[in-house]
Amino acid sequence: MNYCIGVDLGGTNIAAGLVDLNTKSIVSKKSIKTNAPRPCLEISADIAELCREVCRLASVSISEVAWVGVGVPAIIKDGTVVIAVNLEWYDEPLDKILTELTGRPTFVTNDANAAAYAEAKWGCGAGESSVIAITLGTGVGGGIVLNGKIWEGFNGSAAELGHMVIDANGRWCGCGQRGCLEAYCSATALISEAKRMAKLYRDSYMRTLVAENGGKMNGIIPFTAAKAGDLAARQVVDDYIGYLAIGIANIINVFQPAVVCIGGGISGQGEELMAPLREKLKYISFGTKDKRTKVVVAKFKNDAGIIGAALLGLMED
Ligand SMILES: [Zn+2]
């Protein structure tokens, strides 16, 4: 069987894709509203229907689907949703429920782990057995793949890379602790620092770019202004990359993965971000002379969740 289905269950939308394992592509895709919170059985019934729908769209029978994989914004251990705050689910054996409803073997993982797994199998870590993915978005998320398997931790709570402390007396984080990587390296943190510096330096080019953007700061403006030679923006970007380097050096020094891949909105800056980051990492992370962790931009953007979930059936026991 060449087909599998990946489902990205989010707080707002549920997206499913039928994936062809031979062509390594999504052949049909559909998304519906989650309308959370709702009981697990209700949402599961919608997921099962969505799986049948993506099959219909591609004229494939669901019996030709080898398995279904689902990524959930939750703490997951061995297929069970331990806690999903947005969905208000506790201790739901989602893999068993969906195996029953779809008639196909179903695997469940955390959504950030699914995205990491997509990179490990078909993305920038393809062919490598250890890949760690970090996402620089509204928050900072992560997923850890070791020896070809997602590392969930003994209780399902692993890979909270955004809450590694990089400054014990540092900025407050949304989690209630101080100095978390997320408080420095999320897009939210970058935007708030850029705003602060643009306010402080009245001749900063960032102010012109903000005015041109309808008065709104975003995560691209500091990079654009820094590239144009603006000193305030350069400071914001250098600080940002400096903190990110500390976080990634910690990851490398603990795990020595073959690849660290960086996704999320800020990764769209490409080499403006990556070149200075790699340069800093040379000095603050361990490695051997000829074997150093590759630090690269993630391959998959919006489809990472679907593809990673779809590939869960490939995971070795
Ligand atoms: Zn935190």
Side-chain angles (χ1 to χ4, degrees):
M1 280 188 278
N2 308 328
Y3 296 106
C4 50
I5 293 175
V7 180
D8 187 359
L9 169 55
T12 313
N13 294 303
I14 309 170
L18 181 69
V19 170
D20 185 327
L21 291 166
N22 287 340
T23 60
K24 297 191 173 182
S25 61
I26 297 177
V27 288
S28 63
K29 198 158 90 167
K30 196 181 173 188
S31 98
I32 55 170
K33 290 274 170 243
T34 312
N35 293 325
R38 283 192 295 149
C40 181
L41 278 176
E42 262 184 42
I43 290 184
S44 297
D46 285 359
I47 292 173
E49 181 48 36
L50 197 58
C51 290
R52 287 188 283 271
E53 181 62 22
V54 292
C55 287
R56 273 195 292 271
L57 289 171
S59 305
V60 166
S61 158
I62 196 155
S63 63
E64 294 175 70
V65 171
W67 62 75
V68 174
V70 188
V72 188
I75 295 173
I76 310 277
K77 184 61 188 170
D78 298 330
T80 289
V81 176
V82 181
I83 304 171
V85 176
N86 297 339
L87 302 166
E88 297 181 13
W89 294 355
Y90 304 93
D91 294 318
E92 298 284 359
L94 187 61
D95 58 344
K96 293 190 179 67
I97 293 170
L98 282 170
T99 298
E100 180 95 350
L101 291 174
T102 61
R104 312 311 303 156
T106 302
F107 307 96
V108 176
T109 194
N110 165 276
D111 53 356
N113 286 342
Y117 198 62
E119 295 298 334
K121 297 306 282 187
W122 285 0
C124 61
E128 302 290 356
S129 68
S130 55
V131 177
I132 297 185
I134 180 160
T135 309
L136 309 173
T138 313
V140 172
I144 298 173
V145 178
L146 298 176
N147 297 330
K149 292 176 68 172
I150 290 170
W151 175 252
E152 293 182 327
F154 85 106
N155 55 6
S157 297
E160 287 291 354
L161 303 180
H163 300 287
M164 104 173 62
V165 173
I166 59 167
D167 181 351
N169 299 309
R171 295 178 199 161
W172 289 100
C173 177
C175 73
Q177 302 296 323
R178 294 186 78 154
C180 294
L181 183 64
E182 180 166 292
Y184 295 85
C185 294
S186 60
T188 318
L190 174 65
I191 289 167
S192 111
E193 268 304 284
K195 276 185 183 166
R196 190 179 68 80
M197 290 292 274
K199 201 170 166 188
L200 212 57
Y201 293 88
R202 306 198 66 84
D203 59 348
S204 169
Y205 180 46
M206 287 192 285
R207 296 173 76 98
T208 313
L209 295 172
V210 166
E212 284 170 11
N213 190 40
K216 280 197 74 170
M217 179 63 81
N218 60 33
I220 299 167
I221 287 172
F223 280 92
T224 308
K227 208 174 162 186
D230 184 64
L231 293 178
R234 175 50 60 197
Q235 186 70 53
V236 172
V237 167
D238 283 353
D239 286 350
Y240 180 87
I241 295 173
Y243 289 120
L244 184 59
I246 295 171
I248 293 177
N250 288 339
I251 294 168
I252 293 173
N253 293 344
V254 173
F255 294 101
Q256 292 294 333
V259 174
V260 167
C261 89
I262 301 179
I266 305 297
S267 71
Q269 294 306 317
E271 284 308 296
E272 289 296 313
L273 171 74
M274 302 303 288
L277 177 64
R278 289 190 195 106
E279 190 58 29
K280 285 194 161 68
L281 285 170
K282 269 191 210 165
Y283 299 99
I284 60 172
S285 64
F286 288 84
T288 59
K289 201 167 131 224
D290 55 346
K291 284 190 174 175
R292 297 190 67 90
T293 299
K294 268 187 256 162
V295 182
V296 293
V297 174
K299 175 178 173 181
F300 297 110
K301 311 290 176 225
N302 297 330
D303 288 335
I306 289 179
I307 291 174
L311 299 183
L312 288 175
L314 298 174
M315 197 146 59
E316 304 126 51
D317 283 327

